[in-house]
mmCIF file of all heavy atoms in Angstrom:
data_model
loop_
_atom_site.group_PDB
_atom_site.id
_atom_site.type_symbol
_atom_site.label_atom_id
_atom_site.label_comp_id
_atom_site.label_asym_id
_atom_site.label_seq_id
_atom_site.Cartn_x
_atom_site.Cartn_y
_atom_site.Cartn_z
ATOM 1 N N ASN A 60 31.039 31.215 6.395
ATOM 2 C CA ASN A 60 31.621 31.011 5.039
ATOM 3 C C ASN A 60 32.560 32.076 4.624
ATOM 4 O O ASN A 60 33.552 31.926 4.062
ATOM 5 C CB ASN A 60 30.450 30.846 4.027
ATOM 6 C CG ASN A 60 29.803 29.422 4.051
ATOM 7 O OD1 ASN A 60 30.387 28.486 4.581
ATOM 8 N ND2 ASN A 60 28.692 29.393 3.437
ATOM 9 N N ASP A 85 31.294 39.928 1.532
ATOM 10 C CA ASP A 85 32.694 39.866 1.998
ATOM 11 C C ASP A 85 33.641 40.148 0.834
ATOM 12 O O ASP A 85 33.275 40.140 -0.335
ATOM 13 C CB ASP A 85 32.939 38.444 2.565
ATOM 14 C CG ASP A 85 32.938 37.292 1.594
ATOM 15 O OD1 ASP A 85 33.677 37.339 0.579
ATOM 16 O OD2 ASP A 85 32.121 36.321 1.823
ATOM 17 N N THR A 104 31.186 20.673 -0.650
ATOM 18 C CA THR A 104 32.010 21.477 0.238
ATOM 19 C C THR A 104 33.490 21.418 -0.293
ATOM 20 O O THR A 104 33.857 20.312 -0.867
ATOM 21 C CB THR A 104 32.055 20.992 1.740
ATOM 22 O OG1 THR A 104 32.853 21.714 2.537
ATOM 23 C CG2 THR A 104 32.314 19.444 1.829
ATOM 24 N N SER A 105 34.220 22.529 -0.164
ATOM 25 C CA SER A 105 35.485 22.513 -0.588
ATOM 26 C C SER A 105 36.385 22.237 0.607
ATOM 27 O O SER A 105 37.593 22.288 0.534
ATOM 28 C CB SER A 105 35.900 23.900 -1.125
ATOM 29 O OG SER A 105 35.594 24.919 -0.122
ATOM 30 N N LYS A 106 35.821 21.930 1.762
ATOM 31 C CA LYS A 106 36.584 21.890 3.008
ATOM 32 C C LYS A 106 37.037 20.580 3.479
ATOM 33 O O LYS A 106 37.998 20.481 4.230
ATOM 34 C CB LYS A 106 35.771 22.674 4.089
ATOM 35 C CG LYS A 106 35.658 24.141 3.644
ATOM 36 C CD LYS A 106 34.543 24.903 4.504
ATOM 37 C CE LYS A 106 34.143 26.220 3.744
ATOM 38 N NZ LYS A 106 33.119 26.882 4.360
ATOM 39 N N PHE A 121 31.683 22.451 7.220
ATOM 40 C CA PHE A 121 32.308 21.315 6.660
ATOM 41 C C PHE A 121 31.227 20.331 6.172
ATOM 42 O O PHE A 121 31.608 19.294 5.651
ATOM 43 C CB PHE A 121 33.301 20.614 7.652
ATOM 44 C CG PHE A 121 32.620 20.368 8.964
ATOM 45 C CD1 PHE A 121 31.796 19.299 9.196
ATOM 46 C CD2 PHE A 121 32.787 21.294 10.043
ATOM 47 C CE1 PHE A 121 31.232 19.000 10.446
ATOM 48 C CE2 PHE A 121 32.151 21.000 11.303
ATOM 49 C CZ PHE A 121 31.432 19.931 11.425
ATOM 50 N N GLY A 123 28.749 21.141 4.041
ATOM 51 C CA GLY A 123 28.255 21.413 2.607
ATOM 52 C C GLY A 123 26.753 21.434 2.649
ATOM 53 O O GLY A 123 26.162 21.108 1.588
ATOM 54 N N LEU A 126 24.310 26.319 2.417
ATOM 55 C CA LEU A 126 23.892 27.062 1.249
ATOM 56 C C LEU A 126 22.668 26.411 0.547
ATOM 57 O O LEU A 126 21.556 27.059 0.477
ATOM 58 C CB LEU A 126 24.933 27.304 0.200
ATOM 59 C CG LEU A 126 26.076 28.232 0.641
ATOM 60 C CD1 LEU A 126 27.052 28.585 -0.479
ATOM 61 C CD2 LEU A 126 25.520 29.507 1.321
HETATM 62 P P1 ADP B 5 30.399 24.274 3.934
HETATM 63 O O1 ADP B 5 30.701 25.594 4.509
HETATM 64 O O2 ADP B 5 30.029 23.268 4.959
HETATM 65 O O3 ADP B 5 31.448 23.720 3.003
HETATM 66 P P2 ADP B 5 28.291 25.653 2.620
HETATM 67 O O4 ADP B 5 27.038 25.099 2.095
HETATM 68 O O5 ADP B 5 28.191 26.598 3.674
HETATM 69 O O6 ADP B 5 29.009 24.365 3.064
HETATM 70 O O7 ADP B 5 29.134 26.200 1.499
HETATM 71 C C1 ADP B 5 29.548 25.389 0.376
HETATM 72 C C2 ADP B 5 30.797 25.811 -0.334
HETATM 73 O O8 ADP B 5 30.526 27.043 -0.970
HETATM 74 C C3 ADP B 5 31.881 26.033 0.644
HETATM 75 O O9 ADP B 5 32.664 24.872 0.936
HETATM 76 C C4 ADP B 5 32.749 27.017 -0.142
HETATM 77 O O10 ADP B 5 33.697 26.335 -0.976
HETATM 78 C C5 ADP B 5 31.814 27.787 -0.925
HETATM 79 N N1 ADP B 5 31.426 29.092 -0.358
HETATM 80 C C6 ADP B 5 30.325 29.365 0.435
HETATM 81 N N2 ADP B 5 30.329 30.732 0.814
HETATM 82 C C7 ADP B 5 31.442 31.255 0.287
HETATM 83 C C8 ADP B 5 32.072 32.623 0.337
HETATM 84 N N3 ADP B 5 31.457 33.555 1.061
HETATM 85 N N4 ADP B 5 33.199 32.772 -0.224
HETATM 86 C C9 ADP B 5 33.847 31.774 -0.933
HETATM 87 N N5 ADP B 5 33.346 30.537 -1.054
HETATM 88 C C10 ADP B 5 32.170 30.222 -0.376
#
Side-chain angles (χ1 to χ4, degrees):
N60 283 344
D85 68 57
T104 175
S105 56
K106 296 166 194 172
F121 51 83
L126 293 188

